[in-house]
Amino acid sequence: MARKIIVVTAAYGAENVREAGGQRAMLPVIAGAGADGVEIRRELFTGDELDALPTLAQSIELLGLLACYSAPDALFTEDGKLNPLLPRYLAEAATLNALWLKVSLGHFSDKQQLDALRALLDESGMTLVVENDQTRCGQLAPMQRFKAACRVMNLPVTLTFDMGNWLWVGESPEEAARHLAPAVSYIHVKAAVPHLQQYRAVPPDNDDRRWQDLLDQLPADAPRGIEFPLEGPDLTAVTRHYVNLLREE
C-alpha cells in the first residue's frame, strides 16, 4: 500500500494563500497533484474562515482528500497547565473531520500533567500528535521525557517528527530519530540550509542523501507532510513532483 502524502497549506506561503482566496482555494491544487490529504493551518484563517469550517470540511471531502489540523499553540502553558484552548482546537479538528490535531509540546515536566489530557482526549475522541517545534521545548530531551511519560501512562499520543526543526534548536535530526522513531506517526518533511544566523527550509534535492537517509530511520508507514516551499508558475505540477518524490523514497 502506497504511503500517504499530505500537503501543508503553509508550503505555498501565507501571503500567496491569502491572495488565492484562503486555504480552501488551495485544495484543487493539492488534489490535482495526487496528494492524499491536506494539513489545514489555523494561523492562516481569517475570522470568517474559522467560522466556515463545516464548508471547508465539505470541500475537502468532495475532493477526496484526507484532512489533518494544525494549531500554532503548545499543549502545556508556561506554568505547566494543560492549554485551556485545547478543547476548542479539538472541537475545530472534529468539525473538519480531521485525522488528528497537531500542536507543539510546550512546558511539559511531569507525567501528572497527563491525567487531565487523558480525560479530554477520551471526551473528544480526537487523535493528538505533538510536534518538535523551533523552541527549547522542542529539543530532544523534553520530547523524550514526554514520549516516556505517555508510554508509562499508556496515553495514546504520538509524535510529529519535523525533520528540519531539530536544526533550528541545535539538535541532530539523526540522533532525534534514533530516540523517537517508535513514537512517530507523522513526518514533516523539509530540507534546510544555513541562512543568516539560522536556517531556512528548502525543497529536498534528489542529490542530497541526508533527508533520504533520515526518512529511512523513521517509520515507513507514517504519512509524510510536505512543509517546504512550493513555488512556481504551475503549482499543481510543482506539488505533483514532490508528492511523487516523497511517495517513492
Side-chain angles (χ1 to χ4, degrees), residues 140-220:
L140 179 56
M143 296 297 291
Q144 281 185 277
R145 286 195 298 270
F146 179 70
K147 182 194 77 163
C150 288
R151 185 175 64 248
V152 169
M153 300 286 286
N154 196 28
L155 191 69
V157 177
T158 54
L159 303 180
T160 293
F161 189 99
D162 189 295
M163 295 169 56
N165 283 355
W166 300 109
L167 299 174
W168 268 261
V169 297
E171 301 272 19
S172 160
E174 292 79 11
E175 182 70 11
R178 281 193 287 273
H179 291 283
L180 300 178
V184 170
S185 65
Y186 180 40
I187 303 166
H188 264 183
V189 179
K190 62 163 74 91
V193 295
H195 179 67
L196 300 177
Q197 302 302 312
Q198 257 306 346
Y199 290 86
R200 64 181 176 90
V202 296
D205 188 310
N206 281 337
D207 296 328
D208 180 4
R209 283 299 317 176
R210 185 176 187 182
W211 68 271
Q212 298 174 61
D213 291 342
L214 182 56
L215 280 176
D216 289 341
Q217 289 186 249
L218 298 168

Side-chain angles (χ1 to χ4, degrees), residues 34 47 50 54 59 107 124 140 186 222 225:
L50 197 53
S59 297
H107 297 264
S124 74
L140 179 56
Y186 180 40

Side-chain angles (χ1 to χ4, degrees), residues 24-42:
R24 187 181 177 193
M26 307 313 299
L27 300 179
V29 173
I30 294 169
D36 300 286
V38 57
E39 181 180 312
I40 298 296
R41 301 293 283 249
R42 194 178 196 273

